[in-house]
Amino acid sequence: MIGTATEVAALHRAGRRAFPGFRMTALAATASTQDVVRAAARAGVDAGYSCVAETQSAGRGRQGRRWITAAGEALLCSVLVRVDQPGLGGVPIAAGLAARAAIATSSGYAALLKWPNDLLAGKRKLAGVLCEVEALAPGPGAAVAVGLGVNLRVEFPARVAGASLHVLVPTAPAPAVLFAAYLGELAERLRILQSSGVAGLREEWLTHAAGIGDVVTARSSAGIVTGTAEGIDNDGALLVAAAGGTVRVLAGDVHIGLPPPG
């Protein structure tokens, strides 16, 4: 169960306020909430269509990594959003900010954002966002499945750099409560993105970003870049001041600190 009947009813009300076309599929188990939402997008559903699951067998993060938790241990959800092409690169920024704000308001914990879309508790990963464009979806604008996974009650071995809200706060929120908060925060930041672009989100992102001003190593399709993280540009790319000048990192992994061995 993602929450009590009262919590789920409040979630539906919050969803309808955030997205006029809100409709939610709640599943005990699925391969991936992203796949459910992308299939619905291809069928022409409205923005706001969402899927939430208690567990998923083929959940994925960025770079093809798997995201697997037991039932009830995490919020696992995806939301269909539609944006005009100029704002497409800013969707991960908007989604990360929305997730951070929702965690803060529902639990009291202030996570940090690690570019492009991880949320950290110290140096440990608390949550992650995955944004996937569904090119075959009909309708206006670009259809994007925005996936979110937040560790609520996960027991991590010491060797795993994962964090869970039940360790960080006295009482972790129910998935329905956190998801309700997230939908409202997401809709608001998408509104800002559409009206002002990434520039309208930059100050908030910088306020809560991890690693700005620190040495970082960015691994992307363009190679490995080491330098000082300066911020983000109007496309949502990470700006790294390297030896040869400022480098725009459009996609890839970032390690905060000196390059890891190997």
Side-chain angles (χ1 to χ4, degrees):
M1 296 289 292
I2 65 169
T4 65
T6 300
E7 290 167 342
V8 173
L11 165 58
H12 280 275
R13 290 194 296 272
R16 289 191 292 270
R17 286 194 300 270
F19 295 94
F22 174 78
R23 182 161 58 91
M24 184 178 77
T25 297
L27 302 171
T30 188
S32 167
T33 59
Q34 285 288 90
D35 293 343
V36 174
V37 167
R38 292 184 67 172
R42 293 192 294 272
V45 298
D46 293 333
Y49 174 80
S50 302
C51 179
V52 60
E54 293 183 46
T55 185
Q56 51 187 8
S57 59
R60 58 188 178 272
R62 295 183 60 258
Q63 308 294 317
R65 298 185 181 95
R66 302 183 72 191
W67 182 295
I68 299 175
T69 56
E73 290 186 343
L75 169 62
L76 304 170
C77 61
S78 296
V79 183
L80 176 66
V81 305
R82 291 184 180 273
V83 295
D84 295 334
Q85 288 292 344
L88 187 57
V91 174
I93 302 298
L97 287 170
R100 191 218 65 83
I103 290 169
T105 57
S106 64
S107 75
Y109 186 78
L112 292 176
L113 293 159
K114 175 175 172 284
W115 187 93
N117 46 19
D118 285 346
L119 286 88
L120 302 181
K123 295 183 179 180
R124 294 178 173 268
K125 182 173 178 176
L126 174 63
V129 172
L130 177 65
C131 299
E132 297 178 311
V133 175
E134 180 46 67
L136 298 180
V144 186
V146 179
L148 172 65
V150 183
N151 300 322
L152 299 178
R153 298 171 184 84
V154 183
E155 297 290 348
F156 288 104
R159 67 181 183 278
V160 176
S164 179
L165 273 179
H166 81 293
V167 176
L168 302 170
V169 298
T171 304
V177 172
L178 178 54
F179 191 28
Y182 174 63
L183 287 167
E185 301 287 359
L186 179 61
E188 172 61 15
R189 282 156 185 81
L190 289 172
R191 182 192 66 76
I192 295 171
L193 178 66
Q194 291 288 257
S195 63
S196 304
V198 173
L201 300 171
R202 184 182 290 111
E203 183 176 352
E204 183 187 6
W205 189 88
L206 288 171
T207 299
H208 302 292
I212 299 301
D214 295 336
V215 173
V216 300
T217 299
R219 300 175 181 270
S220 70
S221 59
I224 300 175
V225 177
T226 298
T228 302
E230 295 184 317
I232 53 175
D233 71 4
N234 288 337
D235 293 323
L238 181 68
L239 301 176
V240 178
T246 299
V247 177
R248 298 173 67 252
V249 181
L250 288 167
D253 286 337
V254 171
H255 175 83
I256 299 174
L258 295 174

